[in-house]
Structure formats: C-alpha cells, structure tokens
Amino acid sequence: IRVYVTLPYLLVFIAFTIVVGTLSGLFPALVARRFKPIDTAKGAFRLSSRKTLSKVFIVIQNVFSVVLIALAITMKAQYRHSLDRPMNCNIKDCFYIRPMAPMDKNVLRQNLLALPCVKDVGYSYGAPGFNVGGQVSETRTGEEIIYRTYRMDTVSMGILEIPILKDYGLPATGNVWFSETSFKASGFDDDYHEIPVLSKRTKYCNELLGVFKDFPMRNTNTGQEGNAIISIIDTNDERFLMEMGLLIKTQGDHNEARKAIMKVFDEWDEDEVSIVQASTYLEDNFLDGLKPARNNKRMVELFMLLAVLISLLGLVAMSTYYSDIHSNEIAIRKVFGGTVGSESLR
C-alpha cells in the first residue's frame, strides 16, 4: 500500500476526517434529543441507548463478517478450481527454455541429452501456459479468425502426451494439428478439412493431421483459451530453429535439474548473445500465473479473520453489558438455586 503525500490525497483525508467527526457528534446528539432530563436521572436514557446502539452495531458487524466469510470461501474454491483445472497434457517434470540466438541449437540439445537428469529434449515454439502470437486467417465460410500457432517436433508432442481426438493417418512432419476448439471454429468436419487457405498461417504445413484436446494456453484461468494449432516442423529446416525453444523432460529434483540445465546453457551461450524469453518448469509457470489470485485470497482471509474477531469482541461486550444491567435478577435467581452455568445459558 502506497500513500502519496499530494494535495488531492490530503484533501480526501481531510474531507473523510470532517465527515466522520461530524457524524460522530451528530448521531449521539440526535439520539439524546429524544429523552427528557428525568430519563437521564432515572438511568433510562443510558439503558435504552446502549441497548439500541449495541444491537445495531452488532448486527452490522455480523453481516459484514458473514459477507467476508462467504467471499473468502468463494475465492478459495475458485483458486482451487484454477489449480485443479484439466491440463489435457502431461506437464510434469517439463522444463521449457526459449532462447533467441543465432548459434546451432542442435549442439545445445545434444549437450542437454548428455545430462543424467534429462530424459528427452524436443523443439517447441510455445508450450501449455504460454500464449503464443497469432495472425488473422479465414474459416471455411470466409469469416476472420485468429489461430494461435504452436510449432513443435514429434519429440515435444510425445513429451507432452497431448490427447488426440481425431487422427487422419497422415505423416506428421510438415502437417498440422488443430485443437478441438479451432477445428470447430473453422467449420471443419471429417468430410471437409482442407487447409490451403491456411498455408501461410500454418508455416509451410500442407494437410490436417487431426484434432487434439484443448490444453490451457495461458497460465491464468481467464476464460476462453483461443484457437490453438500445432505445426509439426522438420528440425532440419533452419528457418525454424532460430525462434524455437527446447522442451526438456527431466527426472529427479527440479532445483538440481534446473541448475544443471542452466549451466549447460551458459556454456553454450558463453558470449551471452541470446535473449531468453522463457526459462521455467511448466508447473511453476502455472503457479506463478495464479500468484495474484492467491495473494488476493489471503488478503480477504485476513480481513475475514479480523471481522470475525471484532464481531466476537462485540458479542462478548454485549453479553457483559446485559449481565451487568440484570445483576439484581441474576442474584435473586442464584439465591433460589441458580448456578453460574444456568445463568450463563440464560
């Protein structure tokens, strides 16, 4: 929380102080006007005003507490839903690094494969949780549509284990997969799925391989994921390697694997000419995307606890006050056999 000592802020603070101070003085005065001086002498004024005001404030406090409790429960459920949403792919132990560099990435890939903590390495432009760029194209009916293009080799497709819903049995390299959402949005079906109009968009891919199940394209839960397509590249084609990242399947401790991977990367990029646009485990990327939601949830929980505490203190004060004004009745009932327990229950 930042407080800026500027004229607008100071004016707001002064106005707030005046309003609160005025109400604090007017409200008791308005209540006192309803009573005669004799009521004050008899104690009726104190008794009536304390009862009414205490009830009003206790009700307000408890309503506020209930609202905050409901809000905290809702936010916690939504956060849990975001964490548990279906990935429709296997991101476990997947480290993604995307350096923009002119050096030979095949050398980097071979050096990474030599690490004991690395099981496999594939090329990938984008990954689940990383929303890639898109260009406007056309659907079957000529309407505009934006496709988000991921480019991978067959190794990365195998690492992610993306579920395939339709497979038209074509050679993988040089062709393209459509997500369930993009296939439907394009107006395609099993009888018609020609993509000549998308030849520019799908990066030299010629035919539709099939349909895969939608995976999250963003690391936050923010509505529709978009129209994803995956072009299967030829790793011998140098046109792709400049912008491609590496999807690394690791084993063992993540921290140790990360250190080993970055050490190999630093040795490969000893002149520090590359621009690293991503370097993280896919699981960590999703957790990082939900940090604002987690922080907001914790703040609401804190306010909820404070509100509940204030309400409880108000109820205790109310009970103590009522016990005080009914002390004579309590004493009489105890003379005739009442106990602390029975009077507390009453």
Side-chain angles (χ1 to χ4, degrees):
I1 298 176
R2 297 180 181 178
V3 178
Y4 298 96
V5 185
T6 60
L7 183 59
Y9 272 87
L10 291 176
L11 292 176
V12 169
F13 295 148
I14 293 170
F16 182 77
T17 304
I18 292 173
V19 170
V20 173
T22 302
L23 292 177
S24 298
L26 282 178
F27 190 63
L30 292 173
V31 174
R33 286 184 59 207
R34 298 188 293 110
F35 293 90
K36 299 176 182 179
I38 190 64
D39 294 326
T40 306
K42 292 179 179 178
F45 166 70
R46 179 175 178 272
L47 178 62
S48 177
S49 62
R50 284 292 297 271
K51 274 187 175 181
T52 303
L53 291 177
S54 296
K55 288 178 180 178
V56 169
F57 287 123
I58 289 295
V59 168
I60 293 174
Q61 287 174 358
N62 281 281
V63 168
F64 186 59
S65 298
V66 170
V67 170
L68 281 176
I69 291 171
L71 182 59
I73 293 173
T74 302
M75 291 187 68
K76 190 166 187 176
Q78 179 62 33
Y79 179 72
R80 179 54 54 187
H81 173 73
S82 299
L83 281 179
D84 296 339
R85 63 176 170 165
M87 291 288 113
N88 295 327
C89 60
N90 184 10
I91 64 171
K92 183 176 176 57
D93 300 326
C94 290
F95 187 87
Y96 179 61
I97 183 170
R98 187 182 168 217
M100 297 289 290
M103 295 89 75
D104 187 357
K105 290 183 181 176
N106 282 313
V107 174
L108 175 60
R109 180 175 181 270
Q110 293 301 322
N111 292 341
L112 290 170
L113 284 170
L115 293 174
C117 61
V118 173
K119 297 174 67 176
D120 210 349
V121 181
Y123 287 107
S124 179
Y125 172 82
F130 290 90
N131 191 29
V132 294
Q135 294 178 358
V136 176
S137 188
E138 293 181 354
T139 66
R140 178 181 178 181
T141 57
E143 298 175 357
E144 285 191 346
I145 188 172
I146 296 179
Y147 293 102
R148 303 290 180 183
T149 302
Y150 294 80
R151 291 188 288 279
M152 301 181 186
D153 60 6
T154 53
V155 177
S156 290
M157 283 288 289
I159 289 174
L160 291 173
E161 301 176 12
I162 300 173
I164 302 300
L165 302 178
K166 298 178 186 290
D167 189 343
Y168 296 127
L170 299 172
T173 303
N175 292 316
V176 61
W177 294 97
F178 269 52
S179 71
E180 190 175 11
T181 298
S182 59
F183 186 80
K184 187 180 299 182
S186 301
F188 290 162
D189 53 43
D190 289 337
D191 297 325
Y192 180 88
H193 44 261
E194 301 295 330
I195 59 168
V197 71
L198 299 176
S199 57
K200 177 183 178 181
R201 183 70 196 99
T202 53
K203 293 292 184 183
Y204 314 105
C205 292
N206 301 312
E207 296 186 78
L208 184 62
L209 288 166
V211 181
F212 64 88
K213 200 168 182 64
D214 291 309
F215 57 73
M217 296 172 61
R218 302 178 180 89
N219 61 352
T220 56
N221 196 4
T222 54
Q224 186 178 359
E225 293 292 354
N227 304 306
I229 57 179
I230 301 177
S231 298
I232 305 302
I233 66 164
D234 181 359
T235 54
N236 295 318
D237 194 332
E238 295 182 357
R239 290 176 296 183
F240 302 115
L241 294 186
M242 173 66 181
E243 59 183 5
M244 295 299 287
L246 295 172
L247 189 64
I248 307 166
K249 186 72 170 182
T250 67
Q251 57 188 353
D253 183 73
H254 281 192
N255 290 329
E256 294 299 324
R258 188 197 308 270
K259 291 178 182 177
I261 290 170
M262 296 312 298
K263 181 179 179 182
V264 169
F265 174 79
D266 291 338
E267 291 173 353
W268 173 75
D269 185 26
E270 58 182 352
D271 294 329
E272 298 182 354
V273 297
S274 65
I275 301 174
V276 181
Q277 297 186 339
S279 175
T280 182
Y281 273 97
L282 298 186
E283 298 163 281
D284 294 341
N285 182 50
F286 279 101
L287 289 175
D288 288 342
L290 293 173
K291 272 185 179 179
R294 183 170 65 249
N295 292 339
N296 290 337
K297 179 178 70 74
R298 288 176 177 172
M299 185 174 292
V300 170
E301 287 174 344
L302 176 61
F303 280 114
M304 177 196 70
L305 291 174
L306 289 174
V308 170
L309 178 61
I310 292 171
S311 297
L312 291 175
L313 291 174
L315 290 171
V316 171
M318 191 82 163
S319 300
T320 304
Y321 173 68
Y322 281 145
S323 298
D324 180 52
I325 63 176
H326 292 293
S327 57
N328 291 336
E329 301 171 28
I330 294 172
I332 293 173
R333 280 195 291 269
K334 290 186 71 176
V335 168
F336 287 96
T339 63
V340 173
S342 65
E343 293 311 305
S344 298
L345 182 61
R346 183 185 298 274

